[in-house]
Amino acid sequence: AVAKSLAIGEGSVGVGVDHELISAVPSSNPTFVLRNFTDAEITYCRSQSAPAASFAARWAGKEAVFKSLGVASKGAAAAMKDIEILPNEAGVPSVRLHGDALSAAQSKGVSKVHLSLSHSENVAIAFAQAVSS
Amino acid sequence: AVAKSLAIGEGSVGVGVDHELISAVPSSNPTFVLRNFTDAEITYCRSQSAPAASFAARWAGKEAVFKSLGVASKGAAAAMKDIEILPNEAGVPSVRLHGDALSAAQSKGVSKVHLSLSHSENVAIAFAQAVSS
Amino acid sequence: AVAKSLAIGEGSVGVGVDHELISAVPSSNPTFVLRNFTDAEITYCRSQSAPAASFAARWAGKEAVFKSLGVASKGAAAAMKDIEILPNEAGVPSVRLHGDALSAAQSKGVSKVHLSLSHSENVAIAFAQAVSS
């Protein structure tokens, strides 16, 4: 009963914030896009009314998720593609981790990352919270 | 004793971020204001040194709270007035939910929404975290 | 066993967000810097490639941490130096509280404050979450 009850209460492992000028995210560069976004993310962003804003918000989201995991600076080799952000059935951005990002999360006891995105005409902002169950 | 202890640890249900250009929030439009803000919010914002910034910060706050609840896209019919944000005795913005927003929160097990607001000369930013007890 | 298990699940006590124009934080004013930053913070910020951005991000961080504690408006007497932000071994900004800030945190049952910082060319944003264990 205790264990079951405890599963209700998630613990906060870390938080992450990022903001980006939409014009600074090279979303019209195919090499950048293919290296950093999954096929499903690309399809989703291109279907939106403002694809550049969608890519920028998602890019800020990946950075925020990365920060929330509290792992050491990633450098050029980080696979941001391993942090996948897609809307769930309610339209809420949902995070799925793969590869190294998943390993990092598991080593920290992170079971879920909550994420929210916001963009205006010029700027995208993301906030992430990594939680343990 | 267990139940009492567990009540101490809140679980994170969702997060929400929003930012708005202060000039983009039509706070001098009475129809917009009356539709989206409660009487107490209007009185409070108009008493501040920069009413437009107060309305914009609160508007961003309502959007962030809405996002933190993780419910489906609201559309034009959403009653943002149901998300009321007023300072508590320490000056901290505190969220009180009414109507549909309250129902949505209860269906998700949300017992409280933490909120913080920030505004500079041009921009308002809000962050919300919905928690269960 | 219950107490030990409960320590896993941190509860959220409050959140704080702040953003600052980098140009609006007087980081080249020695009086401002010495009053608000610890020696270790000053050494760290001055070692960075963009010291003004580092000081501004840290300043936003102190404001966000202060807000997350949910205490009454600070006024001019607040010792922002009591909120010290230094990178941990993984480069993640870590919060250490001293003096009045520590007392305020303890009175609220706050055992840790998670923090994330972000800056672009012109703007610094910080998000803080105060948690209890």
Side-chain angles (χ1 to χ4, degrees), chain C residues 83-103:
Chain C
I83 299 171
E84 184 175 40
I85 302 169
L86 290 169
N88 71 10
E89 67 283 356
V92 176
S94 298
V95 178
R96 187 178 295 180
L97 302 177
H98 309 276
D100 290 347
L102 179 59
S103 303

Side-chain angles (χ1 to χ4, degrees), chain A residues 11 21-22 25 32 39-40 42 49 51 66 73 78 81 88-89 99 109 113 123-124:
Chain A
L21 275 173
I22 293 171
V25 177
F32 172 80
D39 290 349
I42 295 170
S49 59
F66 186 87
S73 183
K81 209 173 187 167
N88 70 9
E89 67 284 354
V113 184
V123 175

Side-chain angles (χ1 to χ4, degrees), chain C residues 33-127:
Chain C
V33 168
L34 289 170
R35 185 193 297 141
N36 293 298
F37 296 86
T38 67
D39 290 348
E41 288 179 316
I42 295 169
T43 300
Y44 173 77
C45 289
R46 291 199 174 143
S47 76
Q48 298 300 292
S49 59
S54 287
F55 276 114
R58 217 150 293 266
W59 178 252
K62 289 168 186 263
E63 291 278 0
V65 170
F66 186 87
K67 289 180 178 180
S68 77
L69 298 177
V71 292
S73 182
K74 54 187 188 299
M80 296 305 265
K81 208 173 188 167
D82 283 349
I83 299 171
E84 184 175 40
I85 302 169
L86 290 169
N88 71 10
E89 67 283 356
V92 176
S94 298
V95 178
R96 187 178 295 180
L97 302 177
H98 309 276
D100 290 347
L102 179 59
S103 303
Q106 286 172 336
S107 74
K108 292 268 186 168
V110 171
S111 58
K112 186 171 184 177
V113 184
H114 295 295
L115 178 70
S116 185
L117 307 176
S118 170
H119 63 79
S120 56
E121 204 176 334
N122 300 317
V123 175
I125 297 181
F127 179 75

Side-chain angles (χ1 to χ4, degrees), chain B residues 13-93:
Chain B
V13 175
V15 296
V17 65
D18 192 63
H19 75 293
E20 304 284 345
L21 276 174
I22 293 171
S23 61
V25 177
S27 59
S28 57
N29 176 334
T31 305
F32 172 80
V33 168
L34 288 170
R35 185 192 299 141
N36 293 297
F37 296 86
T38 67
D39 291 349
E41 289 179 316
I42 295 170
T43 300
Y44 174 77
C45 288
R46 291 198 174 145
S47 77
Q48 298 299 292
S49 59
S54 287
F55 276 114
R58 215 149 296 264
W59 178 252
K62 290 169 185 261
E63 291 279 359
V65 170
F66 186 88
K67 290 180 178 181
S68 77
L69 298 177
V71 292
S73 182
K74 55 187 187 297
M80 297 304 266
K81 208 173 187 167
D82 283 349
I83 299 171
E84 184 176 40
I85 302 169
L86 290 169
N88 69 10
E89 67 285 353
V92 175

